Amino acid sequence: MSLTVRLAGPADLPAALAMDEVAARDAHRHDWLTRAFAGEKGRVARLALLDGEPAGFAVMGEFFSNPFLDLIVTAPAARRRGVAAALLTEIERVHAGQKLFVSTNVSNTIMQGLLSCRGYLPSGQVDNLDPGDPELFFVRPPAL
């Protein structure tokens, strides 16, 4: 099994849209991804390839002048194969020495577990973004 991560751009958008179950049914998400993969507002997208095939992607943005993982998605067929961990490893490498923020829903216990194993610390909660599913924020201190 070969797993690589590279920068992504507008040409990779169709692969990202095919992986993202939310973008298939949510026009706002589809439009946001289109803009993110074009680099709008300084966003940077990365694509994970599993044996040469698109298997996941991540979009980085900014949160109070700190790097923020806006979104990380693993293709359904590639889940539990290290795709999200590989994307996160590359993002952590690029942002070494900086506070790195990420958020996830209370319902996303898999992501919470990944963040906990990697030393991320709880940083707060925002209610009312997704009804009945608060958003939890985490930070990776620069010393890690």
Side-chain angles (χ1 to χ4, degrees):
M1 175 180 87
S2 167
L3 185 54
T4 59
V5 175
R6 66 168 174 78
L7 287 174
D12 298 304
L13 179 63
L17 292 172
M19 286 184 259
D20 188 355
E21 297 166 328
V22 175
R25 65 178 187 275
D26 183 334
H28 174 74
R29 173 79 152 252
H30 185 284
D31 184 53
W32 183 86
L33 282 173
T34 301
R35 294 189 322 274
F37 271 70
E40 182 183 81
K41 295 185 180 178
R43 286 192 174 89
V44 176
R46 287 185 169 72
L47 186 69
L49 302 165
L50 183 60
D51 296 328
E53 295 297 321
F57 67 90
V59 176
M60 288 297 299
E62 199 171 87
F63 179 71
F64 289 94
S65 301
N66 292 288
F68 181 76
L69 177 57
D70 283 324
L71 181 65
I72 190 166
V73 171
T74 301
R79 291 187 180 144
R80 309 299 286 171
R81 297 183 67 192
V83 174
L87 285 161
L88 207 46
T89 295
E90 177 62 9
I91 290 164
E92 291 166 353
R93 183 192 68 75
V94 170
H95 298 286
Q98 297 175 285
K99 287 188 286 185
L100 175 60
F101 286 89
V102 61
S103 71
T104 190
N105 290 94
V106 165
S107 64
N108 192 343
T109 56
I110 292 172
M111 184 63 170
Q112 291 171 50
L114 177 62
L115 295 172
S116 177
C117 288
R118 296 176 80 97
Y120 285 73
L121 304 173
S123 288
Q125 174 177 312
V126 172
D127 296 318
N128 304 309
L129 289 174
D130 294 322
D133 198 4
E135 194 79 8
L136 301 175
F137 285 76
F138 297 86
V139 64
R140 182 177 182 269
L144 292 179

